[in-house]
Amino acid sequence: MPLSRDQVRHVALLARLGLEQGDEDFYAEQLSGILRHIDRLQELNTDAIPPTAQVVEVAATLREDVPRPCLTQEEALANAPAAVDGFFRVPSIQEEA
Amino acid sequence: MRAVGWEVVIGMEVHVQPTTRTKMFCGCAIAPLNAPPNSHTCPVCLGLPGVLPVINKAAVEACLKTAVALNCEIPRHTKFDRKNYMYPDLPKGYQISQYDLPMSHDGHLEVGERRVRIRRVHLEEDTGKLVHAGDRLHKAWESFVDLNRAGVPLMEIVSEPDIRSAEEARDYAVALRTLLRTVGASEADMEKGQLRAEPNISVRRTGTTELGVKTELKNINSFRNLYRAIDFEVKRQIEALESGHDVVQETRGWSDAEQRTFSQRTKEFAEDYRYFPEPDLPPLELDPAWIEELRRALPELPEARRVRLVSQYALPLHDASLIAAERELADLFEGAVRAGADAKPAANWIIGEVAPGGSVPTINQLADVVKLVTSGSITRDQGREVLAESIRSQRSAGELVAERGFAQVSDESELEAIVREVIATNAKAAADYQAGKKQALGALMADLKKKAPNANPKMANEILQKLLQ
């Protein structure tokens, strides 16, 4: 089933992507193609195979709880589009409330 | 509150910062509360490209100890997942958390007479801190971001909806704090944000089994406010339902200043987290031998201690429950008994004086006062004063008693001399008493107290009556 325009708008909102006029249909078609591909993979019978989240056969290693040097405040903020008094400055995130 | 005809149903989500030196997935030191903003970050917790997270062993260990102490099942395999959402306190655009294979599940915690089932305990990372500029929150025009807390380890402890009142919710949180401190998993200081309790609350008609619509409360920073926020919210929900309105499923904040909950509608951030396995972290294998080792090394847990306080010191169950609920009080009690105080009086002093007072004396301060009062050297009221003053000034009880002249005279011959003097100066009252006017004794005792304020009143009274026979 192809994605609806509403679903495309919802996904775009979650990813904070702006859509131009007509983009919904274009992306609906593209995203539906990806979903169709996944549906084909779903046809395989995988009952006997344990689910896996990783293709690399290693287990996670644990790190000892020993501090390492941090960046300085100046370094941390060096690439920020805007900074004030040691803080990153961002547009209000409360505007739609 | 107990509303007639309604049952309150509460489940708790508690976030706890385990005691570690560094963050969850990078070697940044945990920032002190007063650290300058963005002074404890690195490319990993800033979410810069090309970096990889590495799991902090101490955080895993704290989580496993907690899970074992909460009687949870711990699987062989666990993994981390990405919880995706866009928000400026989260520089990566996702939080590393655990979704379908948490570190542990299906445990329980005894809270007073109730067993609260634990659904899961898992590990995740904290977010940064936002400061909103503007006159009020909803008119803020920009926000400031401090990422010192981004990536700090958090354990999330989720209970089943087994809690039935605001009191029980508070007792649950207190019991959890005691447990976390006992096993050394966290300092669990609520005011420092190391323990954050978020109750899910709904109400239903007594006798029904279907769950009502729930609200989730946030911004609660003390046990007292946890109680108040739930109490308020329960009343609000019942009033809404009884007047024919619906309860809306939403997140509500607690306003300490206004003593009420308020809607925090964040429509835009509707729950659509698109969890998927964290590709940067391979699954974590938990060695059963490690877990066994942690289990064996656990100290005595609060529940076991409560049982032991009853059997070892013959305390009533009620006293033992109150004392074992806080590790500090239980340590104080056992220490004072070891230092020579009698068990039951020591328990009474802790429950009656120490617990409500807030400031806790040292073991010796308490033991000295309990011994002095039990032996009759000073009165109970004087004991209270000495205890409070010794906490304040850090001076010994003996020193304070001597300085204030509190030492009660309990020596029989000394008392007899005082009593004889009282009889001599109050010959008429003494004669009246001997003639059968029993209330004359009051006048004699009053004069005795004036002449010798430190006389043991019970003994003096006995001697007086004996001499007047």
Side-chain angles (χ1 to χ4, degrees), chain B residues 193-207:
Chain B
Q194 293 165 338
L195 187 151
R196 287 173 249 164
E198 287 159 15
N200 285 285
I201 303 163
S202 64
V203 298
R204 63 185 171 197
R205 291 281 179 188
T206 308

PDB file of all heavy atoms in Angstrom, chain B residues 193-207:
ATOM      1  N   GLY B 193      18.798  15.970  41.602  1.00  0.00           N
ATOM      2  CA  GLY B 193      18.360  15.396  40.330  1.00  0.00           C
ATOM      3  C   GLY B 193      18.885  14.001  40.088  1.00  0.00           C
ATOM      4  O   GLY B 193      18.813  13.488  38.972  1.00  0.00           O
ATOM      5  N   GLN B 194      19.426  13.354  41.125  1.00  0.00           N
ATOM      6  CA  GLN B 194      19.959  11.991  40.933  1.00  0.00           C
ATOM      7  C   GLN B 194      18.854  10.946  41.004  1.00  0.00           C
ATOM      8  O   GLN B 194      19.078   9.788  40.672  1.00  0.00           O
ATOM      9  CB  GLN B 194      21.013  11.702  42.006  1.00  0.00           C
ATOM     10  CG  GLN B 194      22.252  12.566  41.855  1.00  0.00           C
ATOM     11  CD  GLN B 194      23.109  12.550  43.097  1.00  0.00           C
ATOM     12  OE1 GLN B 194      22.634  12.258  44.192  1.00  0.00           O
ATOM     13  NE2 GLN B 194      24.382  12.847  42.936  1.00  0.00           N
ATOM     14  N   LEU B 195      17.684  11.354  41.488  1.00  0.00           N
ATOM     15  CA  LEU B 195      16.525  10.465  41.493  1.00  0.00           C
ATOM     16  C   LEU B 195      15.324  11.303  41.075  1.00  0.00           C
ATOM     17  O   LEU B 195      15.012  12.302  41.719  1.00  0.00           O
ATOM     18  CB  LEU B 195      16.315   9.860  42.883  1.00  0.00           C
ATOM     19  CG  LEU B 195      15.248   8.774  43.021  1.00  0.00           C
ATOM     20  CD1 LEU B 195      15.602   7.812  44.151  1.00  0.00           C
ATOM     21  CD2 LEU B 195      13.868   9.349  43.261  1.00  0.00           C
ATOM     22  N   ARG B 196      14.713  10.928  39.951  1.00  0.00           N
ATOM     23  CA  ARG B 196      13.557  11.678  39.452  1.00  0.00           C
ATOM     24  C   ARG B 196      12.379  10.727  39.332  1.00  0.00           C
ATOM     25  O   ARG B 196      12.467   9.718  38.630  1.00  0.00           O
ATOM     26  CB  ARG B 196      13.867  12.277  38.079  1.00  0.00           C
ATOM     27  CG  ARG B 196      14.821  13.458  38.125  1.00  0.00           C
ATOM     28  CD  ARG B 196      15.208  13.890  36.728  1.00  0.00           C
ATOM     29  NE  ARG B 196      16.604  13.588  36.466  1.00  0.00           N
ATOM     30  CZ  ARG B 196      17.151  13.564  35.252  1.00  0.00           C
ATOM     31  NH1 ARG B 196      16.406  13.760  34.186  1.00  0.00           N
ATOM     32  NH2 ARG B 196      18.432  13.300  35.104  1.00  0.00           N
ATOM     33  N   ALA B 197      11.323  11.026  40.035  1.00  0.00           N
ATOM     34  CA  ALA B 197      10.165  10.136  40.041  1.00  0.00           C
ATOM     35  C   ALA B 197       9.059  10.714  39.170  1.00  0.00           C
ATOM     36  O   ALA B 197       8.710  11.882  39.303  1.00  0.00           O
ATOM     37  CB  ALA B 197       9.663   9.946  41.466  1.00  0.00           C
ATOM     38  N   GLU B 198       8.559   9.891  38.258  1.00  0.00           N
ATOM     39  CA  GLU B 198       7.462  10.317  37.393  1.00  0.00           C
ATOM     40  C   GLU B 198       6.302   9.343  37.533  1.00  0.00           C
ATOM     41  O   GLU B 198       6.316   8.268  36.957  1.00  0.00           O
ATOM     42  CB  GLU B 198       7.953  10.375  35.940  1.00  0.00           C
ATOM     43  CG  GLU B 198       8.874  11.556  35.714  1.00  0.00           C
ATOM     44  CD  GLU B 198       9.765  11.403  34.490  1.00  0.00           C
ATOM     45  OE1 GLU B 198       9.495  10.522  33.657  1.00  0.00           O
ATOM     46  OE2 GLU B 198      10.736  12.164  34.395  1.00  0.00           O
ATOM     47  N   PRO B 199       5.310   9.721  38.367  1.00  0.00           N
ATOM     48  CA  PRO B 199       4.180   8.812  38.551  1.00  0.00           C
ATOM     49  C   PRO B 199       3.195   8.876  37.379  1.00  0.00           C
ATOM     50  O   PRO B 199       2.952   9.955  36.833  1.00  0.00           O
ATOM     51  CB  PRO B 199       3.523   9.325  39.844  1.00  0.00           C
ATOM     52  CG  PRO B 199       3.984  10.727  40.003  1.00  0.00           C
ATOM     53  CD  PRO B 199       5.245  10.903  39.225  1.00  0.00           C
ATOM     54  N   ASN B 200       2.665   7.717  36.993  1.00  0.00           N
ATOM     55  CA  ASN B 200       1.545   7.615  36.056  1.00  0.00           C
ATOM     56  C   ASN B 200       0.305   7.361  36.894  1.00  0.00           C
ATOM     57  O   ASN B 200       0.256   6.377  37.622  1.00  0.00           O
ATOM     58  CB  ASN B 200       1.744   6.447  35.090  1.00  0.00           C
ATOM     59  CG  ASN B 200       2.779   6.773  34.036  1.00  0.00           C
ATOM     60  OD1 ASN B 200       2.496   7.518  33.119  1.00  0.00           O
ATOM     61  ND2 ASN B 200       3.969   6.228  34.204  1.00  0.00           N
ATOM     62  N   ILE B 201      -0.680   8.233  36.763  1.00  0.00           N
ATOM     63  CA  ILE B 201      -1.822   8.189  37.683  1.00  0.00           C
ATOM     64  C   ILE B 201      -3.127   8.043  36.921  1.00  0.00           C
ATOM     65  O   ILE B 201      -3.365   8.743  35.933  1.00  0.00           O
ATOM     66  CB  ILE B 201      -1.885   9.493  38.502  1.00  0.00           C
ATOM     67  CG1 ILE B 201      -0.565   9.696  39.249  1.00  0.00           C
ATOM     68  CG2 ILE B 201      -3.047   9.469  39.481  1.00  0.00           C
ATOM     69  CD1 ILE B 201      -0.381  11.110  39.728  1.00  0.00           C
ATOM     70  N   SER B 202      -3.980   7.130  37.390  1.00  0.00           N
ATOM     71  CA  SER B 202      -5.353   7.084  36.900  1.00  0.00           C
ATOM     72  C   SER B 202      -6.255   6.695  38.054  1.00  0.00           C
ATOM     73  O   SER B 202      -5.785   6.238  39.091  1.00  0.00           O
ATOM     74  CB  SER B 202      -5.489   6.085  35.740  1.00  0.00           C
ATOM     75  OG  SER B 202      -5.212   4.771  36.186  1.00  0.00           O
ATOM     76  N   VAL B 203      -7.548   6.920  37.880  1.00  0.00           N
ATOM     77  CA  VAL B 203      -8.512   6.502  38.900  1.00  0.00           C
ATOM     78  C   VAL B 203      -9.590   5.666  38.212  1.00  0.00           C
ATOM     79  O   VAL B 203      -9.799   5.775  37.003  1.00  0.00           O
ATOM     80  CB  VAL B 203      -9.162   7.720  39.615  1.00  0.00           C
ATOM     81  CG1 VAL B 203      -8.112   8.538  40.346  1.00  0.00           C
ATOM     82  CG2 VAL B 203      -9.936   8.589  38.635  1.00  0.00           C
ATOM     83  N   ARG B 204     -10.213   4.787  38.998  1.00  0.00           N
ATOM     84  CA  ARG B 204     -11.331   4.011  38.465  1.00  0.00           C
ATOM     85  C   ARG B 204     -12.324   3.763  39.587  1.00  0.00           C
ATOM     86  O   ARG B 204     -11.967   3.820  40.770  1.00  0.00           O
ATOM     87  CB  ARG B 204     -10.834   2.687  37.862  1.00  0.00           C
ATOM     88  CG  ARG B 204     -10.175   1.753  38.877  1.00  0.00           C
ATOM     89  CD  ARG B 204      -9.608   0.520  38.192  1.00  0.00           C
ATOM     90  NE  ARG B 204      -8.787  -0.271  39.111  1.00  0.00           N
ATOM     91  CZ  ARG B 204      -7.927  -1.202  38.718  1.00  0.00           C
ATOM     92  NH1 ARG B 204      -7.750  -1.453  37.436  1.00  0.00           N
ATOM     93  NH2 ARG B 204      -7.230  -1.887  39.605  1.00  0.00           N
ATOM     94  N   ARG B 205     -13.583   3.467  39.203  1.00  0.00           N
ATOM     95  CA  ARG B 205     -14.604   3.174  40.196  1.00  0.00           C
ATOM     96  C   ARG B 205     -14.204   1.923  40.961  1.00  0.00           C
ATOM     97  O   ARG B 205     -13.757   0.936  40.363  1.00  0.00           O
ATOM     98  CB  ARG B 205     -15.956   2.935  39.516  1.00  0.00           C
ATOM     99  CG  ARG B 205     -16.552   4.189  38.889  1.00  0.00           C
ATOM    100  CD  ARG B 205     -17.205   5.065  39.941  1.00  0.00           C
ATOM    101  NE  ARG B 205     -17.761   6.282  39.329  1.00  0.00           N
ATOM    102  CZ  ARG B 205     -18.249   7.289  40.028  1.00  0.00           C
ATOM    103  NH1 ARG B 205     -18.208   7.260  41.351  1.00  0.00           N
ATOM    104  NH2 ARG B 205     -18.744   8.342  39.419  1.00  0.00           N
ATOM    105  N   THR B 206     -14.347   1.960  42.273  1.00  0.00           N
ATOM    106  CA  THR B 206     -14.031   0.805  43.101  1.00  0.00           C
ATOM    107  C   THR B 206     -14.794  -0.402  42.583  1.00  0.00           C
ATOM    108  O   THR B 206     -15.986  -0.305  42.272  1.00  0.00           O
ATOM    109  CB  THR B 206     -14.438   1.079  44.565  1.00  0.00           C
ATOM    110  OG1 THR B 206     -13.846   2.310  44.944  1.00  0.00           O
ATOM    111  CG2 THR B 206     -13.952  -0.025  45.483  1.00  0.00           C
ATOM    112  N   GLY B 207     -14.085  -1.501  42.462  1.00  0.00           N
ATOM    113  CA  GLY B 207     -14.746  -2.731  42.013  1.00  0.00           C
ATOM    114  C   GLY B 207     -14.587  -2.994  40.529  1.00  0.00           C
ATOM    115  O   GLY B 207     -14.807  -4.103  40.066  1.00  0.00           O
TER     116      GLY B 207
END
